[in-house]
Amino acid sequence: MMSEKTLSIIVVNYNTRDFLKDCLHSIKSTQDGLETEIIVVDNNSRDGSATMVEALFPETELIANQKNIGYAKAVNQGIKASEGEYILILNADAFVKPQAIQALLSFLQKHPEVGIAGPKLRYTDGRLQHSCRTFYDFKTLLWRRTFLGRFFSKGRILENHLMLDWAHDCRKEVDWVLGAAMMVRRTVLGQVGLMDERYFLYFEDVDWCYRMKNAGWKVYYVPDAEMVHHYRQGSRAVQMFNRDVLIHLISMFRYYEKWDKILYFIKKIWNVARRPAYVLLDFLGILFSFGVAYGIRGSMGHMSAGPLYPVSIYYKPLALFSVCSLSVYYLMGLYDINRIRLWVDRFLMVGKGTLISCIMMGLIFLFSSGYQFGFLYSRMVIVSFVIIAILVVTFLHQTIHLISRWLWRNGFNLRRLLLVGSGPLALNIQDALSNSPELGYDLAGVVWPLNSDNNSDRGRDARDLDKLSEMCRRERIQEVIFVASDHYLERIILPLIRLRAKFIDVRIVSTDLDSEAVDPRTKDFVGFSSFSYECTPSYYVGRVLKRIMDLMAALIALIVLSPVIALIGLKLSFEDGGAFFVQKRLGKGGQEFSMYKFRTMEPDAEKLKEHLNNMAQDGRLFKAENDARVTRFGRFLRKYNFDEIPQFFNVLKGEMSFIGPRPPLPQEVAQYKRWHKARLEVKPGITGLWQVDKERKWKFDEMVKLDIHYILNWSLLLDFKILLRTPGAILRGTGFEG
């Protein structure tokens, strides 16, 4: 709905009464009949600014804060209180020249693709103020915000950043414009959001423009509009360190931590490496605990009745205890992400895990051959070690949690989320995240699936879900939350698999999920049950181990089956057409490769395919029953899967795996729906989940769903289960086929 007022002007003030008075006078003198509202947000000024506004500008709406809440939060206050279709944000030390506001407003009205427009700014002496710039990178930050800039002030890095090679006399799309004066259209705020309130001062304008660009909106410099800006630059005061300098440095670090590509990569890797790091830390804590316990016993000397045995006799049991304890901690979920776990819960988990390990150690020594010679360990060392270990490990975990909470409360190291979905559940999750900042989540945006029913203005426009990976890269997303995905489940399968390959966690939140489910991936997320696909070390290490085992198994299989290969090859060589059949198939990522099989058909089988009328009902899966092209010996090979043996060479070449979806024909893939292509995201296999299913059905969609189930739930254990079921499928003589 169109707002009643065309323009809202928001002026943020802090102890600049005289500047503010001039600013408001300049606005009044240049309105020229515009339908505007003026809102002044005063951050608890001590110079009588609020009183002045009430006395001299009674028509101006005044928001007088009881404390200085920062620039970004004050701007957001004004935006929430405003009604205008367009919003002009001004510093109190800005002076508006005639027709400047009209020029900005006219430009935005004529260019609907522009989200923010900034005017030309000048210093009070008439010099040009470089108010449009390129985005910061690490080099720019060093040269611009450290002493290096003083020695290389004319360097190319700063020239590019400040756009010094340009006369600033024509309209130009830029990266960002100074927040001292910028006009924004209200309709973009539902997609991009308000200013990030974690920036107390500085960099909030850079961050806002960066998000505008990411959301597809343009930022423009409009020299037709001209204003004067006093630009006090408090962070460049004479003193090397003052409050403004500290705020500037904090904001600079916050911006860099939020948007830097290298830090984003490190965060994603840390998300995977976090569990091993915690395990290592606990191991060091256990070693430290033993050292303290042994030291206490040693300090007692003659006060103890028993002798102090050498430390070397404790090495083996200490190593065994460490392995047992760390394994129990892991299985109990101590290393899982849980941002609301209480210290007492951590203490009980560590205590329970440590005591279980003690019981395991006791049983091991009880039934060991060395038990008959008696214990050689000090009971005081053992008892004190167990108690100290519980306290130390609990202390380590609680300390990390407290440090993390402190960082989250101050807006650092937040976990950036992207919410995909619409409806009441999505709105409830947004509210839960906004009401729980101490949990350390940063909702970067909301994406509405295409054709979704949405009545909210708090999200982005509908996007193509297949572009989620690119969107996550731009927005530095670490986790994607799919909400109420039952209505568009088939559309999220392919993005979900690709996101996981990019080290991005995925959750599916639905009201249909049972919070009491036994599945370990069902976890709480800000009060909602979610199905979690986390990037765990076991998953990525498992992929490497899978390849190693594929190589070893293929080599062993080829050696063991070499007599069978020779006999089959000899048999087929006496027939026309040769022993092998080579066919083009599509593997991981849709890459074409040559798949090898023993020939089971007549030599001209491919030419006769188009004349068959007894194909499967689903044309995307070529499978003919009672195929007349198959030879008698070929039927035997197919029945017991001997024709698949040459595919071990494909496994050695890295084109296939032992277990995975069957590789499709190019003409089959040409008929795929978008979600069907999810089965091409992993290496194809010789055997797989649907091949070993007793109740096999040749309906294509059901086969793809089984393949997707395998991909989403893959683990070495699942591969092992399929491998155990494969001999039964072979003995049943149904053949893998395909």
Side-chain angles (χ1 to χ4, degrees):
M1 183 177 69
M2 187 69 68
S3 177
E4 293 182 0
K5 296 186 183 297
T6 303
L7 179 66
S8 297
I9 302 176
I10 298 170
V11 183
V12 177
N13 176 72
Y14 178 67
N15 289 330
T16 55
R17 181 185 60 187
D18 295 336
F19 286 143
L20 176 61
K21 182 169 65 173
D22 292 342
C23 176
L24 294 177
H25 277 307
S26 70
I27 294 172
K28 287 186 63 177
S29 63
T30 59
Q31 287 190 37
D32 289 340
L34 283 175
E35 186 66 25
T36 63
E37 62 175 351
I38 304 174
I39 300 173
V40 173
V41 183
D42 184 72
N43 273 335
N44 194 31
S45 297
R46 298 182 299 274
D47 62 355
S49 295
T51 304
M52 181 272 296
V53 172
E54 290 176 335
L56 301 182
F57 305 94
E59 72 285 357
T60 298
E61 181 179 345
L62 175 66
I63 300 176
N65 293 315
Q66 299 304 309
K67 65 177 182 178
N68 187 354
I69 61 174
Y71 183 77
K73 187 173 289 188
V75 168
N76 291 345
Q77 268 188 321
I79 292 176
K80 292 174 183 177
S82 66
E83 299 177 354
E85 181 184 356
Y86 299 91
I87 304 167
L88 175 62
I89 298 166
L90 290 175
N91 278 8
D93 58 352
F95 184 88
V96 181
K97 287 191 173 184
Q99 297 303 311
I101 296 177
Q102 289 82 349
L104 285 175
L105 185 59
S106 175
F107 178 81
L108 284 177
Q109 290 173 334
K110 293 178 181 179
H111 297 83
E113 75 281 3
V114 178
I116 288 180
K120 175 187 285 187
L121 297 182
R122 292 190 180 276
Y123 293 104
T124 54
D125 59 4
R127 290 180 298 116
L128 176 69
Q129 194 173 111
H130 295 97
S131 58
C132 57
R133 303 170 187 179
T134 60
F135 286 126
Y136 286 100
D137 57 22
F138 186 68
K139 288 183 179 179
T140 306
L141 288 172
L142 285 178
W143 258 251
R144 180 70 175 160
R145 300 304 176 190
T146 68
F147 66 91
L148 293 175
R150 298 185 181 182
F151 294 100
F152 303 97
S153 59
K154 301 299 182 183
R156 183 171 297 276
I157 292 176
L158 288 185
E159 286 183 8
N160 293 336
H161 173 63
L162 297 175
M163 305 178 71
L164 299 179
D165 58 342
W166 171 52
H168 293 71
D169 55 0
C170 62
R171 298 172 182 176
K172 187 179 183 67
E173 183 180 358
V174 296
D175 284 350
W176 63 281
V177 293
L178 285 183
M182 55 167 56
M183 187 176 289
V184 58
R185 66 175 72 243
R186 183 178 294 275
T187 52
V188 308
L189 300 181
Q191 302 174 36
V192 178
L194 301 176
M195 281 190 173
D196 190 340
E197 297 181 358
R198 289 175 293 169
Y199 297 98
F200 185 84
L201 189 63
Y202 307 114
F203 281 86
E204 69 288 321
D205 45 5
V206 192
D207 179 88
W208 212 16
C209 291
Y210 193 94
R211 288 188 282 136
M212 288 282 176
K213 292 280 192 176
N214 282 344
W217 292 94
K218 295 181 179 180
V219 177
Y220 255 83
Y221 174 78
V222 184
D224 314 46
E226 193 167 308
M227 301 183 188
V228 176
H229 182 215
H230 291 270
Y231 204 43
R232 294 180 300 158
Q233 291 187 302
S235 62
R236 292 194 173 189
V238 177
Q239 301 94 334
M240 182 173 292
F241 294 104
N242 57 38
R243 183 173 180 270
D244 282 343
V245 170
L246 179 61
I247 293 173
H248 207 144
L249 289 174
I250 292 174
S251 295
M252 180 181 70
F253 179 77
R254 192 187 305 282
Y255 177 83
Y256 187 71
E257 187 256 348
K258 182 178 180 180
W259 295 114
D260 183 68
K261 294 180 181 179
I262 297 176
L263 283 180
Y264 176 54
F265 176 76
I266 292 174
K267 287 179 181 179
K268 292 198 296 182
I269 296 301
W270 169 248
N271 188 42
V272 178
R274 179 181 52 81
R275 285 183 176 86
Y278 279 145
V279 171
L280 177 60
L281 184 64
D282 284 352
F283 176 66
L284 295 176
I286 290 173
L287 294 183
F288 173 78
S289 302
F290 173 77
V292 173
Y294 191 82
I296 292 174
R297 172 63 183 84
S299 65
M300 298 181 64
H302 64 278
M303 297 175 60
S304 178
L308 178 62
Y309 299 107
V311 70
S312 58
I313 70 169
Y314 292 96
Y315 288 166
K316 289 184 178 179
L318 180 60
L320 185 58
F321 175 83
S322 299
V323 171
C324 291
S325 297
L326 297 175
S327 300
V328 174
Y329 295 161
Y330 188 92
L331 294 174
M332 292 179 66
L334 183 63
Y335 304 122
D336 292 345
I337 297 176
N338 190 324
R339 301 185 175 220
I340 59 175
R341 184 177 288 157
L342 301 176
W343 73 267
V344 67
D345 295 324
R346 291 186 176 85
F347 175 75
L348 292 176
M349 291 180 72
V350 173
K352 186 187 299 183
T354 305
L355 293 178
I356 291 174
S357 300
C358 290
I359 295 173
M360 294 170 61
M361 290 288 294
L363 292 174
I364 291 173
F365 281 106
L366 183 63
F367 294 100
S368 65
S369 59
Y371 175 72
Q372 58 185 319
F373 299 107
F375 287 109
L376 296 177
Y377 311 112
S378 167
R379 285 171 292 182
M380 176 171 288
V381 170
I382 293 174
V383 173
S384 58
F385 164 60
V386 170
I387 295 173
I388 295 172
I390 293 174
L391 296 176
V392 167
V393 173
T394 302
F395 173 79
L396 291 174
H397 282 262
Q398 187 62 19
T399 300
I400 293 174
H401 177 70
L402 292 176
I403 293 174
S404 299
R405 290 286 288 259
W406 183 86
L407 290 172
W408 298 337
R409 283 196 300 269
N410 288 276
F412 293 104
N413 195 34
L414 302 183
R415 186 168 178 78
R416 285 179 64 78
L417 308 178
L418 184 68
L419 196 63
V420 181
S422 60
L425 183 56
L427 292 176
N428 291 338
I429 293 176
Q430 292 180 63
D431 291 336
L433 289 171
S434 62
N435 294 331
S436 305
E438 72 281 359
L439 297 181
Y441 292 114
D442 178 18
L443 183 58
V446 181
V447 177
W448 303 321
L450 294 174
N451 302 321
S452 65
D453 296 328
N454 181 72
N455 297 318
S456 170
D457 61 352
R458 290 193 285 173
R460 300 189 178 191
D461 289 336
R463 300 288 186 96
D464 185 354
L465 294 186
D466 295 333
K467 297 179 181 178
L468 274 181
S469 294
E470 174 62 22
M471 193 186 310
C472 290
R473 183 193 64 79
R474 292 197 313 267
E475 298 282 358
R476 310 295 188 256
I477 302 299
Q478 296 167 264
E479 186 170 338
V480 176
I481 316 295
F482 292 100
V483 181
S485 57
D486 303 344
H487 305 298
Y488 56 99
L489 183 61
E490 291 181 350
R491 293 184 52 230
I492 73 169
I493 295 301
L494 187 57
L496 192 155
I497 295 172
R498 289 177 176 173
L499 289 172
R500 200 177 187 190
K502 299 287 186 180
F503 298 95
I504 296 174
D505 288 342
V506 176
R507 290 182 189 267
I508 298 177
V509 180
S510 174
T511 53
D512 295 334
L513 286 178
D514 183 4
S515 60
E516 301 299 326
V518 178
D519 196 304
R521 287 168 304 173
T522 304
K523 298 178 181 178
D524 175 81
F525 175 70
V526 292
F528 301 90
S529 296
S530 67
F531 205 59
S532 176
Y533 293 96
E534 293 183 62
C535 300
T536 59
S538 58
Y539 178 83
Y540 298 101
V541 173
R543 304 303 298 188
V544 176
L545 293 177
K546 179 183 173 81
R547 177 58 186 154
I548 294 173
M549 290 188 288
D550 278 343
L551 286 172
M552 295 176 60
L555 284 171
I556 294 172
L558 287 172
I559 294 172
V560 172
L561 295 176
S562 56
V564 177
I565 295 172
L567 289 174
I568 295 175
L570 187 64
K571 165 68 176 172
L572 293 175
S573 64
F574 288 110
E575 302 177 6
D576 293 335
F580 296 98
F581 173 68
V582 181
Q583 190 177 46
K584 294 297 181 183
R585 297 288 182 112
L586 296 185
K588 183 178 180 181
Q591 294 294 316
E592 190 176 88
F593 72 97
S594 298
M595 188 183 76
Y596 310 123
K597 300 180 75 170
F598 280 126
R599 183 175 59 81
T600 60
M601 292 186 177
E602 300 293 343
D604 56 351
E606 287 295 299
K607 297 180 181 179
L608 297 174
K609 180 191 292 187
E610 60 187 38
H611 301 294
L612 293 176
N613 297 319
N614 59 339
M615 292 173 61
Q617 294 181 356
D618 195 332
R620 286 167 295 199
L621 177 64
F622 178 79
K623 176 60 189 170
E625 299 176 358
N626 302 318
D627 194 338
R629 302 172 300 164
V630 181
T631 64
R632 183 177 179 182
F633 184 58
R635 294 187 188 280
F636 169 77
L637 294 179
R638 284 189 172 193
K639 183 175 182 179
Y640 296 104
N641 297 105
F642 288 124
D643 61 323
E644 311 286 351
I645 292 177
Q647 288 166 38
F648 293 143
F649 291 105
N650 291 114
V651 175
L652 287 177
K653 292 171 65 177
E655 298 164 336
M656 293 181 64
S657 174
F658 259 88
I659 301 170
R662 287 297 290 165
L665 296 165
Q667 57 265 37
E668 294 172 359
V669 175
Q671 302 180 58
Y672 276 11
K673 295 179 181 177
R674 189 68 181 173
W675 69 277
H676 293 152
K677 294 183 180 180
R679 67 192 304 265
L680 300 177
E681 293 298 312
V682 297
K683 284 184 182 179
I686 299 175
T687 182
L689 195 58
W690 60 267
Q691 289 94 324
V692 299
D693 188 359
K694 292 181 180 180
E695 305 296 332
R696 282 165 50 185
K697 301 177 182 179
W698 289 108
K699 199 170 181 70
F700 180 74
D701 282 358
E702 295 176 356
M703 184 196 77
V704 174
K705 287 178 181 178
L706 277 176
D707 285 337
I708 290 174
H709 175 82
Y710 168 79
I711 295 171
L712 292 179
N713 298 277
W714 177 85
S715 66
L716 289 176
L717 180 60
L718 179 58
D719 272 1
F720 183 66
K721 291 178 180 178
I722 294 173
L723 203 60
L724 289 179
R725 295 172 63 187
T726 298
I730 295 175
L731 293 175
R732 287 196 301 270
T734 55
F736 293 158
E737 311 185 36

